[in-house]
């Protein structure tokens, strides 16, 4: 996850591994470079430009909410897909933006030595340019500051999306897993005013002309090929203390997984009884299940790799080295603060995963915040459209039982104890909460929020601030302790470059996974009776004509990625687009804390599957005609 502006420090290694580009091809502020073809898509994904007329590609799951918003019973674009057959049919998406990085700059000296404020830097950087946005980010726990200047475009229209049975093929069953057969892409177009500047949506806007867009390679990938990824990874913690890792893997993840297993079981019980409930809860289920599955992979990976023990040995060696220096004793101080933090942090997480998931309580809170009756009506309508009370009630009982069992006794709110004493059981308390009158739900929400704000949050934030201050020194200490090691700053949703190679892996003893999947595998999974594996009939018909077995679908590589890298361009040694990143393998999800090249793999859509789907399912040759091909 290297900083693009410092890619010259990595370029020799990248070239030794196969890259044929120069540092200036990847990142330059003076000439068009690949960075100009990459955007932060919305608030948490990556996208890339693939034509001279503003065409952009990202994941299906990144465009999901836009596709859903344009869908209705008559036009169900989630189910059937959507293809604009001309520019006039492209659909605007109020609120959706893309951000191009103009430049990034080390401002540590300005901030630390000269005392310039971040606000001043931002004001200067954004003065006089249309759509300019800037932010100052701390890297390496406050040891460095970078200014990032973006140009934000806000007229971004939906152009194409496959049916979910392709774009989300395998659903939550295959999520985080290999072998994978998901066609996880959607296509948008960036629009600009007549001077190519950012502008709010207008029918007069014209397609944006990018400084640079990706050329697509159809040559395919093979094991060992060099690849790199440009994108916006959200968050990693590669340099944390063993106690931080132990908390994640042994305390937090197992508890949260357990709670979510119960909620998912309740949801799927009702979803399997009714198609209407399945539709209502499919998106909720997907988001509960996504982290649930990732955490299981993460805790297993950390245990299997002995990460806590390895970090402890590292800390012992660090302290040995640090004797008599300014760094001595840092790891012990961190351990002591982590011990103090643990009960509060755990109470915070248990609150979020229990009381924080009661749907009727969030409705009551949202109604309380709404400005007027009209706004309240909107809140009610959107809430009840996707609400099934038996699920919420059963979850409430399960989650409140767990809350009482898991939160340290001294931290349990008086309100919780009073309610149990008053009703005698959580079931009876549920009768009050779900009586139909929202008063009890509103009280529930207020009392829990008040408890959290007064008794938990102040402790968590005080201790976290102290921990972060120590990390600033510990980070510098680690760099001094290992002068030969190359450190990259933890991910923070700013643009990064990761590189690696196409590679299979061994998920378990005696098992080897090849790094590619094909349409043959889609057909092997196809099953009209299983929701996640029921492909569209048109795909079956095409396949039946013969000759499509080897159509490539997904591939694996060793690039270090995380959430936010969804939609990132996967690029070959010549700088051409070969895939779109969308996931990692389950066994390697501990890479947010420790990256193990043996087992950590990113999963990409093979760009040729996108071409196949646009041609055969979308029947949209005009889109292919816009793209540029290397071969
Ligand atoms: N695991 C991927 C990510 O973290 C994909 C999630 C969307 N897909 C799904 N089946 N829920 O975002
Ligand atoms: N699916 C993730 C995303 O939405 C990327 C997978 C990962 O966490 O690596 O960003």
């Amino acid at each position: 996850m290297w900083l693009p502006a410092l890619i010259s420090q990595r370029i020799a290694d990248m070239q030794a591994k196969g890259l044929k580009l120069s540092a200036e091809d990847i990142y330059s502020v003076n000439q068009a470079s690949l960075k100009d073809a990459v955007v932060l898509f919305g608030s948490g994904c990556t996208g890339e430009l693939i034509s001279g007329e503003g065409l952009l590609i990202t994941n299906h799951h990144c465009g999901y909410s836009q596709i859903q918003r344009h869908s209705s019973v008559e036009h169900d674009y989630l189910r059937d897909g959507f293809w604009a057959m001309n520019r006039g049919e492209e659909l605007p998406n109020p609120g959706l933006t893309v951000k191009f990085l103009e430049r990034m700059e080390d401002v540590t000296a300005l901030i630390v030595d000269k005392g310039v404020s971040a606000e001043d830097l931002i004001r200067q950087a954004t003065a006089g340019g249309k759509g300019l946005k800037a932010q100052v980010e701390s890297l390496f726990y406050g040891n460095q500051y970078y200014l990032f200047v973006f140009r934000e475009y806000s007229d971004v229209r939906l152009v194409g999306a496959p049916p979910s049975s392709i774009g989300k093929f395998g659903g939550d069953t295959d999520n985080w897993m290999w072998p994978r057969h998901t066609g996880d892409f959607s296509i948008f177009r960036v629009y600009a005013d007549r001077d190519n500047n950012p502008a709010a949506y207008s029918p007069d806007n014209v397609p944006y002309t990018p400084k640079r867009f990706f050329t697509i390679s159809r040559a395919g990938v093979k094991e060992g090929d060099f690849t790199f990824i440009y994108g916006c990874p959200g968050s990693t913690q590669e340099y944390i203390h063993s106690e931080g890792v132990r908390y994640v893997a042994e305390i937090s993840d197992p508890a949260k997984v357990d709670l979510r297993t119960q909620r998912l079981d309740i949801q799927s019980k009702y979803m399997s009884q009714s198609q209407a409930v399945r539709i209502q809860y499919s998106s909720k289920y997907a988001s509960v299940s996504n982290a649930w599955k990732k955490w299981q992979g993460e805790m297993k990976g950390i245990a299997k790799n002995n990460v806590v023990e390895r970090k402890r040995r590292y800390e012992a060696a660090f302290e040995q080295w640090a004797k008599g220096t300014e760094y001595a004793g840092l790891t012990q101080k961190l351990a002591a603060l982590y011990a103090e933090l643990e009960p509060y942090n755990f109470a915070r997480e248990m609150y979020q995963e229990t009381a924080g998931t009661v749907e009727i309580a969030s409705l009551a809170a949202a109604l309380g915040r709404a400005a007027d009756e009209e706004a309240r009506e909107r809140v009610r309508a959107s809430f009840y459209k996707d609400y099934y009370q038996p699920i919420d009630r059963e979850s409430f009982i399960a989650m409140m039982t767990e809350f009482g069992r898991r939160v340290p006794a001294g931290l349990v709110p008086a309100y919780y104890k009073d309610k149990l004493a008053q009703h005698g059981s959580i079931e009876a308390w549920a009768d009050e909460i779900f009586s139909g009158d929202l008063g009890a739900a509103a009280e529930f929400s207020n009392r829990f929020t008040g408890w959290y704000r007064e008794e938990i949050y102040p402790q968590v934030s005080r201790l976290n601030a102290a921990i972060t201050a120590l990390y600033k020194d510990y980070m510098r200490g680690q760099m001094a302790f290992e002068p030969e090691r190359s450190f990259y700053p933890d991910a923070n949703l700013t643009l990064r470059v990761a590189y690696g190679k196409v590679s299979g892996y061994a998920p378990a003893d005696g098992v080897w996974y090849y790094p590619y999947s094909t349409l043959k595998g889609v057909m092997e999974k196809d099953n009209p009776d299983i929701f996640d594996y029921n492909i569209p009939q048109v795909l079956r018909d095409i396949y039946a004509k013969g000759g499509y077995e080897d159509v490539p679908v997904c591939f694996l590589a060793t690039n270090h990625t995380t959430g936010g890298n969804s939609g990132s361009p996967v690029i070959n040694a010549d700088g051409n687009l070969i895939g779109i990143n969308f996931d990692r393998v389950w066994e390697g999800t501990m890479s947010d804390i420790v990256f193990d090249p043996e087992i950590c793999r990113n999963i990409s859509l093979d760009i040729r599957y996108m071409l196949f789907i646009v041609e055969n399912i979308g029947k949209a040759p005009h889109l292919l005609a816009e793209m540029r091909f290397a071969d």
Side-chain angles (χ1 to χ4, degrees), residues 328-540:
L330 281 173
T331 67
Q332 286 98 332
K333 284 187 206 147
L334 275 166
L337 284 175
Y338 270 115
E340 238 189 287
L341 174 67
E342 185 163 313
Y344 296 109
N345 206 18
F346 189 63
R348 175 184 68 85
E349 292 200 289
M350 290 302 97
Y351 158 65
Q352 288 169 344
E353 291 288 323
T354 60
T357 64
V358 177
E359 295 181 68
I360 199 75
S362 43
L363 170 66
L367 290 174
R369 284 190 303 266
D372 51 28
E373 188 46 34
E374 201 189 315
R376 277 191 289 280
E377 206 32 62
R378 265 201 310 275
V379 168
R380 274 188 217 104
S382 85
F383 178 84
Y384 283 111
K385 177 169 128 346
D386 290 334
Y387 183 64
Y388 189 60
Q389 188 181 302
I391 291 183
D392 199 21
R393 191 193 143 97
E394 214 170 305
S395 285
F396 172 89
I397 293 169
M399 291 304 101
M400 282 298 102
T401 306
E402 292 293 339
F403 181 87
R405 185 182 297 161
R406 290 177 190 263
V407 171
L411 296 180
V412 172
Y415 166 72
Y416 180 90
K417 295 182 203 152
D418 292 348
K419 280 292 165 188
L420 276 196
Q422 176 193 339
H423 290 289
S425 74
I426 292 180
E427 285 78 0
W429 183 14
D431 289 340
E432 185 196 15
I433 298 278
F434 295 96
S435 64
D437 161 19
L438 287 179
E443 189 198 10
F444 177 90
S445 164
N446 288 338
R447 296 294 294 269
F448 263 103
T449 316
W451 160 79
Y452 175 70
R453 210 177 287 143
E454 280 150 37
E455 292 177 42
I456 305 299
Y457 177 75
Q459 303 291 348
V460 170
S461 83
R462 172 180 67 83
L463 291 161
N464 269 334
I467 287 174
T468 305
L470 283 182
Y471 269 127
K472 183 175 180 189
D473 296 335
Y474 183 42
M475 190 71 240
R476 242 187 6 265
Q478 292 184 60
M479 290 168 149
F481 174 51
E482 297 178 277
E484 301 302 315
R485 176 169 165 199
S486 305
F487 287 83
Y488 69 91
D490 271 324
N492 59 356
L493 210 62
T494 58
L495 202 58
R496 304 296 179 94
V497 174
Y499 59 96
K501 60 174 195 262
V502 175
S503 173
Y505 72 107
D509 184 41
V511 185
W512 178 256
Y513 280 159
Y514 291 100
Y516 351 82
S517 62
T518 61
L519 200 55
K520 185 168 159 233
V522 174
M523 303 313 295
E524 284 170 359
K525 285 179 180 171
D526 175 32
N527 184 337
D529 297 328
I530 301 177
F531 184 82
D532 285 347
Y533 294 130
N534 182 12
I535 61 169
Q537 187 55 39
V538 42
L539 187 54
R540 288 186 195 114

Side-chain angles (χ1 to χ4, degrees), residues 61 168 171-172 175-176 180 184 286-287 289-290 563 566 582-583:
H61 78 261
K168 206 188 161 184
D172 293 299
N175 192 19
W176 300 110
R180 191 64 159 277
D184 199 343
S287 71
S289 140
N290 194 38
S566 274
F582 69 95
D583 212 356

Side-chain angles (χ1 to χ4, degrees), residues 264-282:
L264 290 168
D265 284 349
I266 293 166
Q267 291 181 11
S268 60
K269 182 177 74 185
Y270 290 102
M271 285 165 81
S272 66
Q273 288 167 11
S274 147
Q275 181 64 9
V277 176
R278 173 186 293 288
I279 293 168
Q280 286 180 316
Y281 276 74
S282 68

Side-chain angles (χ1 to χ4, degrees), residues 44-45 61-62 176 561-566 581-584:
C45 277
H61 78 261
C62 294
W176 300 110
T561 55
T562 188
N565 271 121
S566 274
N581 184 70
F582 69 95
D583 212 356
R584 275 175 289 167

